[in-house]
Amino acid sequence: MVSFDIILPLAIVAIFILSKAVKIVNEYERVVIFRLGRLSGIKGPGLFLIIPIIDTVVKVDLRVVTIDVPKQAVITRDNVTVAVDAVVYYKVIDPSKAVNEVENFKYATAMLSQTTLRDVVGQIEFDDVLSNRDDVNKSIQEMLDVATDPWGIKVTSVTLRDVSIDDVMQRAIAKQAEAEREKRARIILADGEYIAATKMKDAARLYEEVPVAIKLRELQTYAEIARERNMIVVANPTDIGNIAAFSKAFDKK
């Protein structure tokens, strides 16, 4: 019979090997297995077995990862120095590529996000950075997605979080905005003057065709002045009499 002193060590060794062979990963995780240094496959989620000592495993998280890109000093195409930061969201879609194609996919993606942010913002004007953020976000996302695709990574979203400039540039932009408002005000005023002049021209033509109309307009002006009761107006009675006679004769017809 086998001695108990032999069975106990064997049992301990067997339990130790079994504990090393049994692996469990969560639903959002995958394990890349290397057997004697060569890629063997991807396991998970749940329970699976490996060969201890022979197999080595690398665990990869498939959840969306958030990268806080620190502020980057960038010179835009119109030579404005701005400080921009962003938030990048990505996830691993191919664990095998993420482990084999790049040494540290998290660090590589973070560094690539910084350089891509500087490249995109440096190719556009400052006004576009402020007014077309959606287009800038989309451009950064597309460039990152193309660059990280060989690594098995999908960039899901990019958002510019803050765009800041120095005090001198802020004052210059404030002056520009004030000048823009002044320009619009002058254009509106000029349009009003043009419309008024057009109406006056039409009125002058009407008065030329019907001379008595100007006299009636004069009487109306007198009536408006009389309401104030603080002015004395001396009018030509002959003209007023002629207008009254003309109006009466016109009514009889």
Side-chain angles (χ1 to χ4, degrees):
M1 296 180 62
V2 180
S3 174
F4 179 77
D5 294 337
I6 299 177
I7 294 177
L8 182 59
L10 292 177
I12 294 174
V13 172
I15 294 173
F16 176 78
I17 293 176
L18 185 61
S19 65
K20 295 295 183 180
V22 176
K23 298 293 182 181
I24 300 176
V25 293
N26 296 319
E27 182 68 30
Y28 54 84
E29 296 174 325
R30 298 294 184 272
V31 169
V32 181
I33 301 176
F34 293 91
R35 181 162 296 167
L36 298 177
R38 298 183 63 86
L39 179 64
S40 176
I42 301 173
K43 297 291 185 180
L47 178 68
F48 60 92
L49 298 176
I50 64 170
I51 303 175
I53 302 176
I54 295 178
D55 291 344
T56 57
V57 298
V58 179
K59 187 181 295 185
V60 179
D61 196 325
L62 301 185
R63 292 176 294 183
V64 175
V65 180
T66 303
I67 298 177
D68 185 4
V69 181
K71 280 189 177 294
Q72 305 293 311
V74 185
I75 300 177
T76 60
R77 189 171 64 181
D78 51 349
N79 295 324
V80 177
T81 302
V82 297
V84 293
D85 61 348
V87 180
V88 178
Y89 302 90
Y90 74 92
K91 63 180 180 179
V92 177
I93 59 176
D94 190 336
S96 176
K97 290 183 179 180
V99 173
N100 289 284
E101 299 298 330
V102 61
E103 180 181 1
N104 186 334
F105 66 88
K106 292 183 178 181
Y107 178 77
T109 304
M111 293 297 101
L112 183 62
S113 299
Q114 295 182 23
T115 57
T116 304
L117 175 62
R118 289 196 296 267
D119 291 342
V120 173
V121 175
Q123 294 174 3
I124 59 179
E125 296 184 355
F126 176 69
D127 290 341
D128 293 333
V129 177
L130 297 179
S131 60
N132 298 327
R133 287 199 179 190
D134 291 339
D135 296 337
V136 177
N137 295 337
K138 186 177 180 181
S139 298
I140 296 174
Q141 177 186 351
E142 291 176 351
M143 292 182 65
L144 281 175
D145 200 26
V146 171
T148 57
D149 183 67
W151 304 343
I153 293 174
K154 173 67 177 178
V155 178
T156 59
S157 178
V158 176
T159 303
L160 287 181
R161 188 167 56 182
D162 185 30
V163 179
S164 58
I165 55 178
D166 56 21
D167 295 338
V168 176
M169 186 56 62
Q170 287 182 359
R171 290 193 293 270
I173 293 175
K175 291 181 180 179
Q176 180 183 1
E178 184 179 357
E180 186 67 25
R181 289 194 296 269
E182 181 69 19
K183 183 184 73 172
R184 290 198 296 265
R186 291 182 179 274
I187 291 174
I188 294 173
L189 180 61
D191 289 340
E193 292 289 343
Y194 177 79
I195 295 173
T198 303
K199 295 297 182 181
M200 292 179 66
K201 181 182 68 175
D202 295 339
R205 289 177 178 174
L206 178 62
Y207 291 147
E208 184 180 3
E209 294 174 0
V210 185
V212 72
I214 188 64
K215 294 300 181 180
L216 294 175
R217 183 70 181 92
E218 182 179 353
L219 291 176
Q220 183 180 3
T221 304
Y222 291 157
E224 294 175 355
I225 295 174
R227 293 193 190 99
E228 301 295 331
R229 296 182 181 180
N230 58 1
M231 298 181 63
I232 297 175
V233 180
V234 179
N236 187 350
T238 304
D239 292 340
I240 298 176
N242 293 337
I243 294 172
F246 182 80
S247 300
K248 186 175 181 181
F250 186 78
D251 291 338
K252 289 181 178 180
K253 292 181 179 180

